[in-house]
Amino acid sequence: MPELLHSAIFGLPAPRTGKVRDVYDLADSVLIVATDRISAFDAVMANGIPDKGCILTQMSSFWFGLLTDVCPNHVLSTDFETIQARCQKPQPELKGRSMLCKKAKTIPVECVARGYITGSLLKEYNRVGSDVHGLELPAGLIESSQLSEPIFTPATKAEEGHDENISFATMVDRLGRETAELLRSWTLELYSRASAHAASKGIILADTKFEFGETEDGIILIDEVLTPDSSRYWDGSQYEAGNSQPSFDKQFVRDYLETSGWDKNPPGPVLPADIVEKTRAKYIDAYRRIVGQEPDL
Ligand SMILES: Nc1ncnc2c1ncn2[C@@H]1O[C@H](COP(=O)(O)OP(=O)(O)OP(=O)(O)O)[C@@H](O)[C@H]1O
Ligand SMILES: [Mg+2]
C-alpha cells in the first residue's frame, strides 16, 4: 500500500485529527486510525513513512495484550473484518492500522512514568532543583541519568499542545485523591512491566505516557500505548548518561531536519526518499525487537 496521509470513511463525518491519528466517533465506540504522518519538532512533515501507522497500531495492540491484567483498557477489536463491517463501503486502506475502542471521556491529565531523567523534567530540575514538582529527586542528576526508582510525573495539555508537568498534589486537587492514586499506581505498574519486557530485548524504555478515560464501567486505559510516539525508547547498547540519547525511531529525520535549513515552523518539509526508507526500516526493526515477529503489512 502507498502511504496513507489522510483517512476518510464513507458516510461518516470527518474525523477528529491529531498530528498522527484520525479518530472517528461511532456513537457507542471510537475507531482510531493511525495514518503514516510523522511529526518532529512538533510539526507534521509534508510526506509520511509508508506503513508507519500499521506498525504503531500493531505495536500498541501487542502492549495492550501484554498488559491486560494490570488494568482494563479500551480495545474492542483490531480485527479488520470486524472494523470493515462497521463501514458502509470497502475501506481496505484501514487494514492493520485501525482499532475499534470503547468510547471514554478522556481524563485531562497525562500520566507519565519515567525511569530516567531527560526532556522537560531535566530542564525543570536544572532550573528549580531537587524538589521540582514535589518529587524530591537526588542532587547531581545529569542528562539521561537513571533514577533510583521510576517516578510518576503527571502533566496537563497546555494551550499550544505542549505538555506542562504538574505535581501529584495538583493532580489530586483536580481529580480527587482516589482517582489520582489509582492512576499513579496503574501507571507505575504498566511502566515497570513494559520496561522489564523492553529490557529483555536490549531496549531501554526511558519514559512513557498513558491516557485514561472514564466509562460507565469505571476508568480504563485509552489512546495508544508504548509506541515510539508516546514513549522514549533507547538502544541499551548505546546508552550513556551525560549525553542525550539518539531517538530510536526519528533520529534520521531529526538529523536531516537540523541540516535542511527548515526554520522549525510548521508545516514540515518533504523528507527525501532515503530518509523515509531508513526511518521505515527503523520502525520495522523496533517492532521486530519488541514484539519478536514481523508486522503484518
Ligand atoms: N477510547 C477513547 N475514547 C475517546 N477518546 C479517545 C479514546 N482513546 C483516545 N482518545 C482520544 O483521541 C485522541 C487521539 O488523538 P491524537 O493523539 O492523534 O491527537 P491529540 O492528542 O489531540 O494530539 P497529538 O497529535 O498532540 O497527540 C486524543 O484526544 C485521545 O484522548
Ligand atoms: Mg495524543
Side-chain angles (χ1 to χ4, degrees), residues 75-273:
V75 179
L76 293 171
S77 182
T78 50
D79 170 52
F80 181 61
E81 298 296 308
T82 307
I83 289 165
Q84 177 62 73
R86 301 293 297 255
C87 306
Q88 295 174 28
K89 288 199 169 165
Q91 304 264 183
E93 75 284 8
L94 304 184
K95 186 167 187 288
R97 59 172 79 244
S98 313
M99 215 182 252
L100 187 64
C101 299
K102 268 183 218 158
K103 188 148 111 183
K105 186 165 173 285
T106 306
I107 296 175
V109 172
E110 313 226 310
C111 293
V112 179
R114 303 173 189 258
Y116 295 75
I117 188 165
T118 184
S120 63
L121 187 67
L122 180 67
K123 278 200 196 103
E124 291 173 303
Y125 172 83
N126 286 338
R127 203 177 61 232
V128 177
S130 297
D131 68 346
V132 58
H133 300 300
L135 289 165
E136 295 175 29
L137 298 173
L141 296 175
I142 55 173
E143 169 66 65
S144 305
S145 289
Q146 184 172 16
L147 300 164
S148 57
E149 58 183 329
I151 55 172
F152 177 63
T153 62
T156 53
K157 273 206 166 148
E159 283 302 298
E160 332 83 74
H162 277 295
D163 295 343
E164 201 170 271
N165 295 320
I166 58 173
S167 66
F168 184 66
T170 303
M171 180 175 177
V172 168
D173 287 344
R174 297 201 185 169
L175 304 182
R177 179 160 297 279
E178 199 186 336
T179 300
E181 283 180 352
L182 180 67
L183 298 191
R184 177 173 65 180
S185 93
W186 278 351
T187 298
L188 289 171
E189 177 66 11
L190 291 164
Y191 174 79
S192 134
R193 295 268 298 267
S195 54
H197 175 83
S200 77
K201 308 291 179 185
I203 293 171
I204 295 173
L205 175 61
D207 54 40
T208 193
K209 176 212 70 170
F210 299 105
E211 290 187 30
F212 295 89
E214 278 172 289
T215 69
E216 282 178 358
D217 304 323
I219 296 177
I220 60 173
L221 177 61
I222 65 167
D223 210 52
E224 61 179 356
V225 288
L226 296 155
T227 67
D229 282 348
S230 66
S231 319
R232 281 193 182 89
Y233 283 112
W234 296 338
D235 192 330
S237 66
Q238 290 182 38
Y239 168 74
E240 204 186 350
N243 309 317
S244 64
Q245 313 304 306
S247 150
F248 206 96
D249 59 326
K250 289 184 191 161
Q251 200 56 41
F252 294 122
V253 174
R254 291 195 182 141
D255 291 349
Y256 167 74
L257 292 172
E258 291 288 6
T259 58
S260 69
W262 174 53
D263 62 5
K264 296 195 183 158
N265 284 316
V270 175
L271 301 172

Side-chain angles (χ1 to χ4, degrees), residues 53-66:
C54 294
I55 299 164
L56 296 202
T57 298
Q58 291 169 34
M59 194 184 286
S60 188
S61 173
F62 164 79
W63 284 116
F64 273 120
L66 193 81

Side-chain angles (χ1 to χ4, degrees), residues 4-81:
L4 182 83
L5 286 185
H6 302 283
S7 70
I9 298 183
F10 180 83
L12 287 183
R16 189 208 133 126
T17 59
K19 284 197 278 295
V20 172
R21 287 169 303 149
D22 293 349
V23 182
Y24 292 87
D25 191 333
L26 302 181
D28 59 328
S29 52
V30 288
L31 184 64
I32 302 182
V33 177
T35 69
D36 294 330
R37 298 194 287 267
I38 182 167
S39 69
F41 302 113
D42 271 336
V44 178
M45 301 300 117
N47 52 341
I49 307 296
D51 299 320
K52 170 178 179 276
C54 294
I55 299 164
L56 296 202
T57 298
Q58 291 169 34
M59 194 184 286
S60 188
S61 173
F62 164 79
W63 284 116
F64 273 120
L66 193 81
L67 300 168
T68 189
D69 56 325
V70 177
C71 63
N73 69 56
H74 71 167
V75 179
L76 293 171
S77 182
T78 50
D79 170 52
F80 181 61
E81 298 296 308

